[in-house]
Short mmCIF file of all heavy atoms in Angstrom, two decimals:
data_model
loop_
_atom_site.label_atom_id
_atom_site.label_comp_id
_atom_site.label_asym_id
_atom_site.label_seq_id
_atom_site.Cartn_x
_atom_site.Cartn_y
_atom_site.Cartn_z
N TYR Z 55 181.30 211.31 131.30
CA TYR Z 55 180.68 210.11 131.15
C TYR Z 55 181.32 209.24 130.09
O TYR Z 55 181.72 209.82 129.00
CB TYR Z 55 179.15 210.33 130.71
CG TYR Z 55 178.19 210.63 131.80
CD1 TYR Z 55 178.42 211.75 132.74
CD2 TYR Z 55 177.01 210.03 131.87
CE1 TYR Z 55 177.51 212.00 133.67
CE2 TYR Z 55 176.01 210.28 132.79
CZ TYR Z 55 176.28 211.33 133.74
OH TYR Z 55 175.39 211.69 134.68
N ILE Z 56 181.34 208.00 130.24
CA ILE Z 56 181.76 207.06 129.22
C ILE Z 56 180.62 205.99 129.06
O ILE Z 56 180.27 205.34 129.98
CB ILE Z 56 183.09 206.31 129.58
CG1 ILE Z 56 184.20 207.28 129.87
CG2 ILE Z 56 183.47 205.22 128.57
CD1 ILE Z 56 185.50 206.57 130.43
N PHE Z 57 180.05 206.00 127.85
CA PHE Z 57 178.95 205.11 127.53
C PHE Z 57 179.31 203.86 126.85
O PHE Z 57 179.91 203.91 125.70
CB PHE Z 57 177.86 205.87 126.73
CG PHE Z 57 177.09 206.91 127.38
CD1 PHE Z 57 177.58 208.18 127.56
CD2 PHE Z 57 175.87 206.64 128.06
CE1 PHE Z 57 176.78 209.23 128.11
CE2 PHE Z 57 175.14 207.55 128.71
CZ PHE Z 57 175.68 208.85 128.77
N GLY Z 58 178.98 202.70 127.45
CA GLY Z 58 179.14 201.42 126.71
C GLY Z 58 177.84 201.10 126.04
O GLY Z 58 176.99 201.97 125.67
N LEU Z 122 174.55 202.85 127.34
CA LEU Z 122 173.36 203.49 126.73
C LEU Z 122 172.09 202.69 127.25
O LEU Z 122 171.07 203.32 127.50
CB LEU Z 122 173.40 203.42 125.19
CG LEU Z 122 174.27 204.46 124.59
CD1 LEU Z 122 174.29 204.34 123.12
CD2 LEU Z 122 173.76 205.90 124.94
N CYS Z 167 181.36 213.76 126.14
CA CYS Z 167 181.31 212.38 126.72
C CYS Z 167 181.99 211.48 125.73
O CYS Z 167 182.42 211.91 124.65
CB CYS Z 167 179.89 211.97 127.02
SG CYS Z 167 178.99 211.54 125.52
N TYR Z 168 182.17 210.21 126.13
CA TYR Z 168 182.85 209.22 125.30
C TYR Z 168 181.90 208.12 125.06
O TYR Z 168 180.98 207.77 125.84
CB TYR Z 168 184.08 208.66 126.00
CG TYR Z 168 185.14 209.72 126.08
CD1 TYR Z 168 185.20 210.55 127.20
CD2 TYR Z 168 186.14 209.81 125.15
CE1 TYR Z 168 186.18 211.53 127.28
CE2 TYR Z 168 187.09 210.80 125.14
CZ TYR Z 168 187.10 211.64 126.31
OH TYR Z 168 188.06 212.66 126.43
N CYS Z 169 182.06 207.43 123.86
CA CYS Z 169 181.23 206.32 123.53
C CYS Z 169 182.18 205.11 123.23
O CYS Z 169 183.11 205.26 122.41
CB CYS Z 169 180.41 206.58 122.24
SG CYS Z 169 179.53 205.17 121.55
N LEU Z 170 181.95 203.96 123.84
CA LEU Z 170 182.79 202.87 123.64
C LEU Z 170 182.23 202.02 122.43
O LEU Z 170 181.07 201.49 122.51
CB LEU Z 170 182.80 201.97 124.88
CG LEU Z 170 183.50 202.63 126.11
CD1 LEU Z 170 183.52 201.62 127.29
CD2 LEU Z 170 184.83 203.20 125.75
N GLY Z 171 182.88 202.05 121.37
CA GLY Z 171 182.40 201.48 120.10
C GLY Z 171 182.35 202.52 119.12
O GLY Z 171 181.73 203.57 119.29
N GLU Z 172 183.04 202.30 117.98
CA GLU Z 172 183.07 203.38 116.91
C GLU Z 172 182.10 203.01 115.75
O GLU Z 172 181.98 203.81 114.82
CB GLU Z 172 184.50 203.39 116.33
CG GLU Z 172 185.56 203.82 117.31
CD GLU Z 172 186.93 203.73 116.80
OE1 GLU Z 172 187.36 202.57 116.30
OE2 GLU Z 172 187.66 204.75 116.81
N ASN Z 175 177.14 201.30 117.97
CA ASN Z 175 176.89 202.03 119.24
C ASN Z 175 176.95 203.50 119.07
O ASN Z 175 176.13 204.33 119.54
CB ASN Z 175 177.69 201.45 120.41
CG ASN Z 175 177.17 201.89 121.79
OD1 ASN Z 175 175.99 201.75 122.05
ND2 ASN Z 175 178.07 202.32 122.67
N TYR Z 176 178.06 203.89 118.44
CA TYR Z 176 178.26 205.33 118.16
C TYR Z 176 177.24 205.91 117.22
O TYR Z 176 176.72 207.00 117.46
CB TYR Z 176 179.68 205.48 117.60
CG TYR Z 176 180.01 206.94 117.22
CD1 TYR Z 176 180.04 207.91 118.22
CD2 TYR Z 176 180.37 207.29 115.97
CE1 TYR Z 176 180.32 209.22 117.91
CE2 TYR Z 176 180.71 208.60 115.61
CZ TYR Z 176 180.67 209.57 116.65
OH TYR Z 176 181.04 210.93 116.27
N ARG Z 177 176.81 205.12 116.24
CA ARG Z 177 175.76 205.61 115.25
C ARG Z 177 174.43 205.77 116.07
O ARG Z 177 173.76 206.83 115.80
CB ARG Z 177 175.61 204.60 114.14
CG ARG Z 177 176.76 204.72 113.07
CD ARG Z 177 176.37 203.97 111.82
NE ARG Z 177 176.49 202.52 112.02
CZ ARG Z 177 177.61 201.80 111.87
NH1 ARG Z 177 178.73 202.47 111.48
NH2 ARG Z 177 177.68 200.48 112.06
N PHE Z 179 174.00 206.24 119.27
CA PHE Z 179 174.14 207.37 120.30
C PHE Z 179 174.12 208.75 119.54
O PHE Z 179 173.48 209.68 120.02
CB PHE Z 179 175.41 207.19 121.03
CG PHE Z 179 175.47 207.98 122.28
CD1 PHE Z 179 174.47 208.74 122.76
CD2 PHE Z 179 176.68 208.06 123.02
CE1 PHE Z 179 174.53 209.50 123.96
CE2 PHE Z 179 176.80 208.78 124.19
CZ PHE Z 179 175.68 209.53 124.59
N ILE Z 192 180.42 213.93 121.30
CA ILE Z 192 180.62 212.53 121.65
C ILE Z 192 181.91 212.06 121.05
O ILE Z 192 182.04 212.09 119.78
CB ILE Z 192 179.38 211.64 121.24
CG1 ILE Z 192 178.10 212.14 121.82
CG2 ILE Z 192 179.76 210.18 121.63
CD1 ILE Z 192 176.90 211.44 121.20
N ILE Z 193 182.82 211.59 121.75
CA ILE Z 193 184.17 211.11 121.25
C ILE Z 193 184.11 209.61 121.26
O ILE Z 193 184.04 208.98 122.34
CB ILE Z 193 185.32 211.58 122.07
CG1 ILE Z 193 185.35 213.09 122.11
CG2 ILE Z 193 186.60 211.03 121.58
CD1 ILE Z 193 186.41 213.71 122.99
N PRO Z 194 184.14 208.95 120.02
CA PRO Z 194 184.13 207.51 120.06
C PRO Z 194 185.46 206.88 120.34
O PRO Z 194 186.50 207.44 119.94
CB PRO Z 194 183.65 207.24 118.62
CG PRO Z 194 184.26 208.41 117.77
CD PRO Z 194 184.18 209.53 118.72
N LEU Z 195 185.53 205.71 120.92
CA LEU Z 195 186.68 204.95 121.22
C LEU Z 195 186.51 203.44 120.73
O LEU Z 195 185.31 202.98 120.78
CB LEU Z 195 187.02 204.96 122.68
CG LEU Z 195 187.43 206.30 123.33
CD1 LEU Z 195 187.41 206.27 124.92
CD2 LEU Z 195 188.84 206.69 122.89
N PRO Z 196 187.49 202.80 120.31
CA PRO Z 196 187.41 201.46 119.90
C PRO Z 196 186.85 200.61 121.11
O PRO Z 196 187.23 200.87 122.27
CB PRO Z 196 188.74 201.02 119.54
CG PRO Z 196 189.50 202.28 119.25
CD PRO Z 196 188.93 203.31 120.18
#
Side-chain angles (χ1 to χ4, degrees):
Y55 281 52
I56 300 174
F57 286 87
L122 281 179
C167 75
Y168 293 87
C169 175
L170 298 185
E172 299 173 305
N175 197 42
Y176 179 59
R177 283 191 287 271
F179 195 8
I192 301 171
I193 300 175
L195 292 165

